[in-house]
Amino acid sequence: MTEKEKMLNGAFYDTMDLELRRLSNYAKDLMRVYNSLPAENMELRNQMIRLLFGFCGENARVNQPIWVDYGCNISLGAGSLINMNCTLLDTGKITIGDHTLIGPDVKIYTAIHPISADERIYTDEAGHSAIRTQTAPVVIGNNVWIGGGAIILPGVTIGDNTVIGAGSVVTKPIPANAVAYGNPCAVKKCCNKTDRR
């Protein structure tokens, strides 16, 4: 199994693997170009974001700047919006459904490290110190609204039609049709599909 396969399957992997470094460097170069494009040049921005992301649905929009690890592990559904200054650390897969709004300054993380320093830091075969890392995917459903400044932690799933309040830290799965907020984020209200404001 390659280090990339280990990374995407949630196994511990070598973050300094040459293939992974190459993919990450490529993404950083695309990201730098995308972030520097004129805001009004939507045609070129759409072309570039489709090179950067693994999938980008029709009429999806990503406001500048955007920050990613690999880009290719991000799937953004049709009609969705990622607002400015969001960070998507996509060492694991990040799937965002259709017509979902991601507010400004939202952080989505997929990397996990052991809590114990003895387990987290190890010496590789070449004698270099390294950090033990694995991943857990994040899945955000359709018609979701993630308020500005929210943080979504590894392994979280957020169901369809749910609202996550601004500044929330989402540590556990949140069901569909809910309003949830806080640190840690918790469901405060359940809604039906017709309860739209």
Side-chain angles (χ1 to χ4, degrees):
M1 187 180 290
T2 67
E3 297 303 314
K4 180 181 178 183
E5 289 169 335
K6 291 178 188 176
M7 179 179 80
L8 292 174
N9 286 304
F12 286 115
Y13 68 97
D14 179 2
T15 60
M16 299 309 293
D17 175 71
L18 292 179
E19 179 191 12
L20 293 179
R21 290 294 91 215
R22 181 182 57 77
L23 289 171
S24 181
N25 290 340
Y26 176 72
K28 299 298 188 291
D29 289 342
L30 286 177
M31 182 179 68
R32 180 177 42 80
V33 171
Y34 182 78
N35 288 339
S36 68
L37 291 173
E40 68 272 9
N41 194 338
M42 289 303 297
E43 183 177 344
L44 187 53
R45 284 176 55 195
N46 286 334
Q47 290 173 12
M48 288 297 300
I49 205 66
R50 281 164 174 73
L51 288 175
L52 181 59
F53 283 8
F55 175 79
C56 193
E58 188 176 350
N59 297 319
R61 194 172 89 211
V62 178
N63 287 345
Q64 302 152 295
I66 183 77
W67 312 104
V68 302
D69 259 342
Y70 292 92
C72 61
N73 298 322
I74 299 168
S75 176
L76 180 63
S80 290
L81 166 67
I82 298 176
N83 213 327
M84 66 183 84
N85 207 40
C86 288
T87 301
L88 283 66
L89 298 186
D90 63 313
T91 50
K93 292 183 179 181
I94 297 174
T95 304
I96 299 167
D98 297 338
H99 307 290
T100 286
L101 307 175
I102 307 292
D105 298 305
V106 168
K107 316 297 184 206
I108 303 175
Y109 303 140
T110 61
I112 303 169
H113 310 288
I115 292 173
S116 166
D118 291 340
E119 295 176 26
R120 185 170 59 250
I121 301 165
Y122 71 100
T123 303
D124 66 15
E125 294 173 1
H128 302 109
S129 290
I131 297 173
R132 190 165 276 118
T133 305
Q134 63 188 134
T135 68
V138 169
V139 178
I140 299 171
N142 300 319
N143 308 309
V144 173
W145 176 17
I146 308 290
I151 299 173
I152 315 295
L153 295 187
V156 163
T157 296
I158 298 171
D160 293 347
N161 310 308
T162 285
V163 175
I164 303 295
S168 295
V169 179
V170 187
T171 62
K172 295 181 180 173
I174 303 293
N177 305 308
V179 175
Y181 52 88
N183 181 6
C185 188
V187 174
K188 307 297 183 179
K189 178 182 177 185
C190 291
C191 308
N192 61 45
K193 288 189 212 178
T194 59
D195 184 16
R196 300 191 190 250
R197 290 180 173 52

